Each structure stands twice: as structure tokens, then as C-alpha cells.
Amino acid sequence: MSDTDTLVRLLADRAEIEDLVARHTVWIDEQRWDETGRIFTEDVAVTSPRGEARGIPALVALVSGGNGYEATLHTKANVVIDLDGDTAAVRANDLGVFLKEGNEAAVAAGTHHYTARRTGAGWRFDGLRVAPFAVTAGLPGRSDPVRRTKNRP
């Protein structure tokens, strides 16, 4: 492969992975559970404050279970992608707003640590660890007004 071909491949890989980060955000907010296989591998492993899941059915059950919100709006920033051949480590800061009945809102901030791998269908996330940074008291299970944790892997 020429230097140009290698650079094009690198840029295409990075663009595809960054698109997965955006699709993950929309997947949650718009509850696009039928698109899960476009984002995650069948054997995905997830650890988050909401619980743990292994595999697509368990992941969908984890995020779609009655959370008591009328709507959510997430945004990701500071996406860092470390490619290593057909695998990648990805880090993205996340800010989520959770709208509850009566326009009451709660906010959560944290960092998403993804692992990704190239599959026959393109890049997919095979792991996700959500590291919370700050959470308002309006979220279920939170009695403290703000909780901060170390945001390191």
C-alpha cells in the first residue's frame, strides 16, 4: 500500500469510528434499538452506572428498561481515537440531559471509554465503560446533589 493509500485508510477508519460515537448518541436519545447491530458487536460488553450487559439483547434491555424519562439529549465531545490495526480504543466525554415529567431536568456528565474492532460489516464497538463524573440529584438512585469521581481509566 502506498503512503497515500495508508493515509486514506487511516482517515476513513477514524471517520467511521467517530460516526459510531455519534450514532451511539442518537441511538440512545431516539431509542433506535433496531440499529444496535450497526453500532455494537454481538458480544459487546458494557459497564455503566445503570448496570452491566453482555451481548446485544442484554444491552438493549439495560438501556430501554423503564427509566422514567420523557426524553434524553446526549452530546459527545473531545473524541480521541487510538487505532491499532483492526482494533481501536476510543474516549469521548458525554453530557446527558434527562427530561422528566413536568419539564424537570437532570444532568449527568462522564466519559465513555469504548473499544472497537473492524468486522466484515465495518467498525463496531465491542466494549463500553461509562465513567461518571458529575450527576445531579434528579436522577433515579441519586440522593446526593452532585457526585464527582476520578475520570481516569
Side-chain angles (χ1 to χ4, degrees), residues 1-122:
M1 218 185 280
S2 73
D3 288 344
T4 300
D5 292 339
T6 301
L7 180 59
V8 168
R9 175 71 178 251
L10 174 67
L11 292 172
D13 287 345
R14 293 180 62 77
E16 188 174 349
I17 292 168
E18 193 157 356
D19 185 64
L20 283 179
V21 173
R23 287 185 182 281
H24 176 226
T25 302
V26 172
W27 174 82
I28 294 170
D29 292 338
E30 297 181 4
Q31 301 177 5
R32 295 183 179 188
W33 314 136
D34 59 325
E35 297 179 12
T36 307
R38 291 182 62 195
I39 303 165
F40 299 98
T41 61
E42 287 292 329
D43 62 345
V44 64
V46 175
T47 302
S48 80
R50 294 182 70 168
E52 295 185 6
R54 180 169 284 287
I56 286 178
L59 173 59
V60 171
L62 179 68
V63 298
S64 67
N67 59 21
Y69 310 120
E70 291 189 16
T72 63
L73 180 67
H74 290 79
T75 188
K76 301 275 192 306
N78 301 332
V79 178
V80 176
I81 301 167
D82 292 317
L83 286 165
D84 185 12
D86 290 337
T87 63
V90 183
R91 176 195 182 286
N93 290 337
D94 180 73
L95 182 64
V97 178
F98 303 81
L99 185 63
K100 296 166 56 173
E101 190 175 323
N103 286 333
E104 181 184 348
V107 178
T111 301
H112 288 194
H113 299 273
Y114 301 93
T115 54
R117 71 176 184 251
R118 188 189 318 272
T119 71

